[in-house]
């Protein structure tokens, strides 16, 4: 069974600095998706970034980028130029390619605080 | 286009009462999911539907929980009778399934407090 582990329950970053959130996963599959979701205090989960396992190039969305290391089964999220609005819970998630949507597996989350 | 709409946003009830949570998925999405979020257990998948048909309800805690999807635009999650340990935030999410990118679109959640 696949698992997703986020080893940092809480992280803190100074405004305008860079922070990296860690995520590791375990799977025997070769084709899958990985996601980072953001959950602000308003509670609604929002997709931040998505990576297909067959793509070697790391995904980037503005200030958000990932470091995808397939062999190491690592998928970290880097937030550059952190802003106060980045403060939220961040969840890493895994989905088998072609698998049932119900197989989206979430990590426990990392709470990110941004200091002004 | 409207996102996933959930109601109520907050619900406070007493132990033993029936609770009904509602969800309207994004139009055109063929998958609908119910998740429960607590501090202790994180995000747990309770049940999901594909084309209105329940596919996997193995995450439903017990018989007190039931979910229905009578049509493509509406789903309910019912707890009867409710207990204090059911207190949590319940999320509904929808997606395009195999035709999509894997992304789930979440509602704002329903915070349930059972006294």
């Amino acid at each position: 069974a696949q698992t997703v582990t986020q080893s940092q329950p809480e992280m803190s970053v100074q405004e305008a600095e860079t922070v990296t959130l860690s995520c590791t996963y375990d799977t025997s599959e070769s084709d899958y998706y990985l996601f980072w979701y953001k959950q602000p205090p308003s509670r609604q989960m929002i997709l931040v970034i998505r990576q297909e396992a067959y793509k070697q190039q790391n995904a980037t969305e503005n200030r958000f980028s990932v470091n995808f290391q397939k062999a190491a089964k690592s998928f970290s999220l880097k937030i550059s130029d952190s802003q106060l609005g980045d403060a939220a819970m961040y969840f890493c998630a895994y989905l088998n390619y072609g698998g049932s949507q119900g197989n989206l597996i979430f990590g426990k989350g990392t709470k990110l605080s941004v200091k002004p | 286009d409207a996102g996933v709409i959930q109601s109520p946003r907050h619900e406070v009830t007493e132990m033993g009462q029936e609770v009904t949570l509602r969800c309207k998925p994004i139009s055109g999405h063929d998958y609908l999911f119910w998740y429960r979020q607590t501090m202790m257990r994180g995000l747990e998948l309770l049940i999901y539907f594909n084309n209105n048909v329940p596919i996997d309800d193995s995450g439903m805690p017990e018989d007190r929980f039931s979910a229905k999807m009578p049509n493509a635009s509406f789903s309910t999650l019912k707890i009867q009778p409710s207990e204090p340990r059911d207190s949590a935030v319940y999320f509904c999410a929808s997606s395009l399934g195999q035709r999509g990118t894997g992304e789930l679109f979440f509602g704002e959640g329903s915070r349930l407090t059972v006294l």
Side-chain angles (χ1 to χ4, degrees):
Chain A
Q2 292 87 5
T3 59
V4 176
T5 302
Q6 293 178 249
S7 59
Q8 307 153 316
E10 296 189 28
M11 291 283 285
S12 181
V13 64
Q14 203 73 33
E15 192 176 9
E17 298 290 305
T18 295
V19 64
T20 298
L21 309 184
S22 301
C23 174
T24 58
Y25 58 96
D26 189 25
T27 183
S28 58
E29 303 292 333
S30 58
D31 292 326
Y32 47 87
Y33 299 112
L34 293 164
F35 307 87
W36 278 98
Y37 278 87
K38 170 185 177 181
Q39 185 180 37
S42 66
R43 295 201 312 243
Q44 189 170 17
M45 301 269 284
I46 304 165
L47 181 68
V48 173
I49 200 164
R50 171 179 172 271
Q51 174 84 40
E52 291 98 330
Y54 67 88
K55 290 185 178 178
Q56 293 187 347
Q57 186 174 7
N58 289 325
T60 299
E61 288 288 341
N62 300 314
R63 297 182 296 105
F64 297 87
S65 61
V66 298
N67 183 5
F68 173 49
Q69 302 289 327
K70 191 172 184 179
K73 296 178 183 176
S74 172
F75 182 61
S76 60
L77 175 70
K78 185 172 82 170
I79 306 174
S80 304
D81 185 25
S82 297
Q83 300 175 0
L84 295 178
D86 295 333
M89 283 288 288
Y90 286 83
F91 293 91
C92 179
Y94 166 99
L95 176 69
N96 276 337
Y97 180 79
S100 164
Q101 288 293 111
N103 286 335
L104 184 65
I105 300 165
F106 286 92
K108 294 291 187 184
T110 297
K111 183 178 181 180
L112 177 66
S113 302
V114 181
K115 298 179 180 178
Chain B
D1 188 19
V4 175
I5 299 171
Q6 290 186 246
S7 64
R9 192 102 156 93
H10 304 274
E11 174 92 5
V12 180
T13 191
E14 292 188 347
M15 184 174 62
Q17 296 299 305
E18 177 179 292
V19 174
T20 299
L21 308 179
R22 299 172 178 80
C23 175
K24 177 179 169 55
I26 292 174
S27 177
H29 282 190
D30 54 351
Y31 278 81
L32 183 139
F33 307 83
W34 283 100
Y35 285 88
R36 178 171 68 177
Q37 186 179 34
T38 60
M39 289 292 290
M40 291 296 293
R41 301 171 71 95
L43 271 163
E44 303 174 276
L45 177 66
L46 300 177
I47 185 172
Y48 75 96
F49 297 83
N50 178 215
N51 293 321
N52 314 337
V53 177
I55 303 301
D56 184 356
D57 65 355
S58 60
M60 296 285 262
E62 47 200 272
D63 292 345
R64 298 183 299 104
F65 285 69
S66 63
K68 294 182 180 180
M69 192 165 186
N71 57 63
S73 60
F74 184 66
S75 177
T76 59
L77 178 67
K78 187 174 293 186
I79 309 172
Q80 166 64 16
S82 58
E83 297 182 2
R85 60 191 168 125
D86 301 331
S87 297
V89 181
Y90 291 82
F91 286 99
C92 177
S94 69
S95 75
L96 270 173
Q98 301 305 320
R99 296 177 288 114
T101 60
E103 179 182 356
L104 265 62
F105 294 81
F106 285 81
E108 294 183 322
S110 295
R111 180 179 293 280
L112 173 64
T113 303
V114 183
L115 303 174

